[in-house]
Amino acid sequence: MDPVAKYISQKISKTRWRPISPALLQQPEVFATGSWDNENNKVSIWSVEDHGASTMDGEFDEEPQLLCDSQHEGDVMDLQFLDQDRLVSASSSGAVTIFKLQPDCQALSLAHVWERAHRYSCDNAPCTAVVCRSPELVSVGEDGRVILYKADQTEVVRVIENADSSTIHAVTFLRTTEVLTVNSIGQLKMWDFRQQSDSPAQILSLTGDRVPLHCVDKHPNQQHIVATGGQDGMLCIWDVRQGNTPFSLIEAHSAEMWEVHFHPSNPNHLFTCSEDGSLLHWETTSGSDMSTLLQRGWNSRVVSHSGVPLAGENDSVVSAWLAGDSSKNRLEATHMLPSQTLSVNSLDVLEQCLVCGTDGEAVYVHRKVPV
Amino acid sequence: MEEVDVEPSTTVIPGAGLHQKHLGFEWGPGDLLVYETNYKLQGPRSAGSLFVHIVRKDEDICSPILRKLFNESHLIFVGLQKIKEDVPSKNKKSQFVSISKNYRSVIRACMEELQQNAVSTQDGSLASQYGDQVSILLAIELIWNLCEVLFIDAAPAGSLLLHLLDWVRLHKSDVDTRAREVLQSDSPALHQSYWDVVISLVLQGRTDEARQVLSKRASLRAESSSVFKRMDGLLQTMPIFNPSGTQTLTEFDVKWRHWHEECDRCLQDNTFASNRHLETICKILVGDEDTLLEQKELLSTWYHFLVTRLLFTHPTIKPPDLHYYAQSSMNMFLGPRASPEPLDIILLSAFEFDLHQVIKDCSIALNNWWFVAHLTDLLDHCKLLQSHNLHFGSNLREFLVLEYASGLFSHHSLWQLAVDYFDHCPEFGRVYLELQIERVPLDTERKAIKVLRICEDRQMSEQVRSICKIMAKRALRNNRLGSALSWSIRAKDAAFATLISERFLQDYSNKGSFTDLDLLDNLGPAMLLSDRLTFLGKYREFHRLYGENRFSDAAKLLLSLMTAKIAPRNLWMTLLTDALPLLEQKEVIFSVDQTYELMSCLEELNSGTKPDSNQTDQDDDIESTKTELLRLALARNLAMAIVKEGTIET
């Protein structure tokens, strides 16, 4: 089944599903998008509902409808839902903003702004990523700072100055007090907020070329397994307890990988999107789950969804870890978008629904992802 | 200089050029900068107003709804370019027709949305603006559809008229709404627009629907039912050419003439004299021009008149004969005094199969190159444009696509689409792209990365270097040495890497310690990019080894830095001073040979430096003290080393 596309007249930098309350077992219906590169950028809330009755062509049933939006100063560099009603955005002006969503999604208002959280001495520094674990927020930026906030406090809780001499591109929570950041010289750094010192608890990096890393995501169940994606489109799976080499290196894309996500409830599935215009869905085909697979290593193969030939389809896979019966463990990838588009900047997956946004100003929503 | 096709229109710029001030101007990529100069024809000179005005011709590019048009058509354009050359032409034609239909559906979707917005908006000026845009899009779709029928589909005689009928029906939708209104009313036959609907349907050749509506009337009165039956019969027997059928054009022509004669006979016999409406319809079926002209209000456009006229007089019209009828229809419909609108002229040129005139007139009439660029590109793919070389070397298609893409590039967001358009302009596309891509403002690293990816994919190394240098310089200014280094590594810019290393070393000599240790400790193979960088990395390693008390390794490293001449001259003193604590250690670290080398380095350093007249006495003192200390330490170390090496271990 092909995803539904909607053109929304703004280049989309981030798309996120609104979290559903765990009590109700329903599919997510509301998502937020952030725009970039516009003179007036916006954060918008959309709804995708099963209307039941079909219109002229059955395809237009599930086209996302705009519920509300709000002006956003600067590009939306990152967007995260803090909880059902609050949305946090990271801006290219260096500000971190909390938006409040009215209960019936009729309006989006500004709840709190930390202006110039990220800055240089005489200039603005873009805030590149923000991550939430209610009520705490952590933001990172091009100025190399790591900042910890509490959602209800006006003042910043803690700033790690000069955490990094290069730009920090992404951050993720490992434990309640630990975060992992990735930067543009290819390092993963672990920070423990319980420690007083401003130096990282651990630094991991690939030997060899220092390729900038752009995205990171933690395995939902196992806190030591982390996936990263970088400028060369390589997907790396790391075990942060062990040493300096990643478990697995997979040639996923031919250009920068912008986002990598483990599926939150079924971690055998992994999704990546890239500047080369493709969105890949990775799944293990053997019976074992991903963590045991990591211990044994795997071969992977890229399978095209629609039969359209792609660059690198015939390339053999780079696997840094090959042990034992690895031929039994396979990782297969399928393309989720029907054709090559401009860069896919962001994706989010929840239950069976996938939403992604592209530089071609289109949002794609897929409601029946096979997970 | 070329002659001007139309008189240039004057645009008034509010607030500029008052009091006989002269205006100066400067061309930009998509707009014009206008300012008041100090020059005045009469009277004393005085300062002009402080404003610089930006004059932009294309306002469509800022409309959020039209942006969807640009994005969706970009996708179609890219898909069109990928159609392979070796596919047989018959399949290609259907592909081109479907692409043309895609473009048109995109235009229609935009139009509908604009229409909805025009209706729902509160703001009056906005509503009128939307209305204007809707009418422009309507005209564009009309022209495109006609071009598709005449040029891309290139239907032969017989099917040509059918396609033209479809074209007219598509663009005159009020007939359907009126018909529905009439049929849904309580007594359709007595509705005031009843006969208008019937006649409109007949004018569009929709005989079955006309019969259906007529039957409402026929059922009403019994006495005139025979007349209605006769009309019904005429309408039913009207021959329609079936292109996929077995009937040839000549057979159809014969059949049609028979039917035409029958209609004429009915007219001569005054069969419909009792009912003037039916008589009108019969006259229309015969193709009587005066009757058709009487229906001006229902026809509303001269091209509808043209198609109807052809339907009832010459249904087997051949494409080359079209223009004669078109010209005469327009004259008859518009009358002697009315002057044709630009749209009418464009349509007439299309009927005359003068593609270049169509494109030229559209370019003048519209303020945006979108339409002409995409249409010309499609026609070029159908091989319909002769290679019409313009004065400046490129062909028409490339010129238009380049103009359109350049216009896109001036937009803060749509520049990414333009890249693909430039890619498909073989002659000048690359040059344009090279010039434009460097001027995209880079606010964030993420945007810079995207721009760099575009350049790297096309092997534009000059631009890559220049962009990386801009980013690196900015990072350096903000004291982000790690970022600056990662940018110079990406550009493989050795000179800049050297600059950054100098900066590090400067910081070191100012502060006494290294900043950004996480970077220096993890340089990896990037260290080899520049000599200075290698030195920096190795020097940091020396400090680390010293900190770990691995003195002999540290000593070896230090010596290699000096002897391999990686270390810059001005730092040798610092390095030698660093060697001092190693020399002063209780155990011997430097061997005899190593000590000799150190001594020669010191001598080389001293012989090289010339007495600096600016140096104060104090500096001189410090320098000489250092040298003294070093000489002493080296001598002592030499002594100890000789003894140690001379001792035989027992």
Side-chain angles (χ1 to χ4, degrees), chain A residues 45-174:
Chain A
I45 307 286
W46 305 79
S47 122
V48 188
E49 281 174 27
D50 271 325
H51 291 303
S54 57
T55 49
M56 276 190 307
D57 315 294
E59 303 165 10
F60 291 163
D61 263 357
E62 297 175 2
E63 216 179 61
Q65 301 297 325
L66 179 67
L67 295 175
C68 57
D69 59 32
S70 166
Q71 293 293 330
H72 184 273
E73 200 190 313
D75 292 346
V76 175
M77 303 290 288
D78 201 0
L79 208 58
Q80 294 287 350
F81 271 95
L82 183 61
D83 50 32
Q84 277 255 308
D85 307 311
R86 286 181 296 180
L87 189 55
V88 186
S89 83
S91 161
S92 65
S93 66
V96 174
T97 319
I98 299 188
F99 289 93
K100 185 145 174 66
L101 185 62
Q102 301 305 322
D104 46 357
C105 296
Q106 290 310 320
L108 196 60
S109 56
L110 210 74
H112 185 68
V113 184
W114 286 280
E115 293 273 4
R116 301 203 79 217
H118 290 274
R119 60 195 177 280
Y120 297 126
S121 49
C122 54
D123 218 353
N124 279 341
C127 172
T128 48
V130 75
V131 72
C132 322
R133 191 175 268 206
S134 194
E136 289 181 332
L137 309 164
V138 174
S139 80
V140 291
E142 282 188 19
D143 57 351
R145 283 194 183 89
V146 177
I147 306 181
L148 177 65
Y149 317 74
K150 254 203 161 67
D152 303 312
Q153 287 179 10
T154 345
E155 290 305 312
V156 159
V157 171
R158 183 167 167 194
V159 179
I160 302 179
E161 296 277 351
N162 251 327
D164 209 311
S165 60
S166 63
T167 305
I168 306 177
H169 284 292
V171 63
T172 183
F173 268 101
L174 285 180

Side-chain angles (χ1 to χ4, degrees), chain B residues 107-265:
Chain B
I107 300 175
R108 293 205 140 240
C110 249
M111 217 163 30
E112 274 163 25
E113 196 170 338
L114 278 171
Q115 187 70 2
Q116 275 174 4
N117 278 31
V119 164
S120 64
T121 186
Q122 311 284 353
D123 187 356
S125 63
L126 206 60
S128 67
Q129 193 183 34
Y130 283 142
D132 287 338
Q133 283 170 341
V134 169
S135 48
I136 291 178
L137 283 179
L138 264 169
I140 284 178
E141 212 254 318
L142 183 71
I143 300 170
W144 193 306
N145 199 347
L146 185 60
C147 290
E148 181 187 313
V149 166
L150 293 176
F151 303 124
I152 301 172
D153 216 351
S159 354
L160 177 62
L161 187 66
L162 293 173
H163 287 242
L164 284 175
L165 269 175
D166 283 334
W167 173 65
V168 160
R169 283 173 198 164
L170 198 59
H171 291 96
K172 191 138 178 42
S173 51
D174 60 347
V175 174
D176 289 300
T177 38
R178 280 171 106 193
R180 218 176 308 131
E181 198 186 302
V182 164
L183 286 173
Q184 283 170 356
S185 71
D186 297 324
S187 50
L190 299 171
H191 199 286
Q192 57 174 6
S193 322
Y194 176 76
W195 284 111
D196 282 343
V197 165
V198 177
I199 295 179
S200 306
L201 288 169
V202 171
L203 288 171
Q204 285 195 356
R206 291 152 80 169
T207 47
D208 290 331
E209 291 170 62
R211 284 173 54 215
Q212 192 192 20
V213 180
L214 262 182
S215 64
K216 301 279 186 230
R217 187 76 174 216
S219 55
L220 253 178
R221 297 183 219 170
E223 70 274 12
S224 45
S225 66
S226 64
V227 186
F228 278 89
K229 272 215 195 85
R230 193 85 180 81
M231 175 53 73
D232 190 66
L234 280 181
L235 287 173
Q236 193 181 16
T237 52
M238 175 170 168
I240 309 274
F241 182 65
N242 185 353
S244 49
T246 49
Q247 186 187 56
T248 66
L249 199 63
T250 15
E251 283 172 13
F252 166 74
D253 198 31
V254 167
K255 239 182 130 180
W256 184 82
R257 280 186 202 287
H258 275 253
W259 175 84
H260 188 92
E261 277 164 21
E262 199 182 323
C263 294
D264 207 19
R265 230 177 296 129

